[in-house]
Amino acid sequence: MANNREKEYAIYKGTGGRNGAVQFKLVPFQRGRTRKDGKEADAGFILVEAAATTAPDVYDWNNKITFAMDVGDIGQFLVGLGGGHCDIYHQYNNAVKKLAIELGNPDQKNNPTWMLSMTTRPDGSSDWFTIRLPVSCNEAAVLKELMRAAVPVVRGWNEEPLPYTQKDDE
């Protein structure tokens, strides 16, 4: 069984004191887990956390932006990584969050790059806070594979099925 650290993928882009970092954490489907509203969760998710830099290689994780991607969001994100444009919005109470990924400018070897951004407007605020970081073609390739592999885990399709009974067909 993998521990939680093995279910993470991070991209750090704070070397020059610019941009930030993003972490993707797989939270598998788990029977009996409850959501914030008290209902039973019918799927897992990918938790995305982004932090801005405060100095070279120093990240402000105390003021991070978090975003929980469900299966539909993962599909949209894959479209963005495939060269399309992806804007995913979530709203909880009055707080609004946006995760976006779009094709960027080619790198020095003429490989494609992407720009990932996470934006939030906290509950009751009129100010938007955005963290942006470039994603290389190598990082995008890894993200595509991880996102595709996460779908059955998020949906619980990787679990042993419950015993089939004829009543299931009724």
Side-chain angles (χ1 to χ4, degrees):
M1 178 79 176
N3 66 34
N4 286 341
R5 190 72 180 148
E6 293 168 339
K7 296 178 185 176
E8 294 180 11
Y9 178 67
I11 300 172
Y12 293 92
K13 297 289 176 99
T15 306
R18 298 180 8 197
N19 302 313
V22 64
Q23 298 179 133
F24 297 85
K25 297 178 183 179
L26 176 61
V27 180
F29 169 75
Q30 182 181 3
R31 292 187 198 290
R33 181 181 18 228
T34 56
R35 303 184 316 200
K36 287 180 183 179
D37 62 8
K39 295 180 182 176
E40 185 172 348
D42 60 355
F45 54 92
I46 295 175
L47 180 65
V48 185
E49 299 176 312
T53 55
T54 56
D57 293 323
V58 178
Y59 302 93
D60 186 7
W61 291 107
N62 291 326
N63 292 306
K64 66 186 175 187
I65 300 174
T66 61
F67 201 95
M69 294 174 62
D70 63 17
V71 171
D73 297 336
I74 294 168
Q76 285 184 275
F77 196 80
L78 284 166
V79 167
L81 288 171
H85 183 82
C86 165
D87 285 331
I88 306 168
Y89 290 90
H90 285 190
Q91 184 170 353
Y92 185 74
N93 293 330
N94 289 326
V96 179
K97 296 180 182 181
K98 179 177 115 174
L99 185 148
I101 189 151
E102 61 186 322
L103 207 51
N105 296 323
D107 67 12
Q108 294 170 343
K109 296 180 181 178
N110 210 28
N111 292 314
T113 65
W114 287 258
M115 184 58 72
L116 184 142
S117 64
M118 289 179 66
T119 304
T120 186
R121 187 185 72 206
D123 188 12
S125 173
S126 61
D127 296 330
W128 290 89
F129 174 61
T130 300
I131 298 168
R132 289 184 184 86
L133 64 148
V135 176
S136 72
C137 62
N138 299 339
E139 293 159 337
V142 171
L143 276 172
K144 285 179 194 176
E145 291 303 313
L146 290 173
M147 293 288 166
R148 287 183 185 123
V151 170
V153 177
V154 166
R155 291 299 307 154
W157 290 357
N158 62 326
E159 292 186 344
E160 287 293 318
L162 296 174
Y164 171 80
T165 65
Q166 192 167 7
K167 289 183 180 180
D168 292 337
D169 291 334
E170 296 174 0

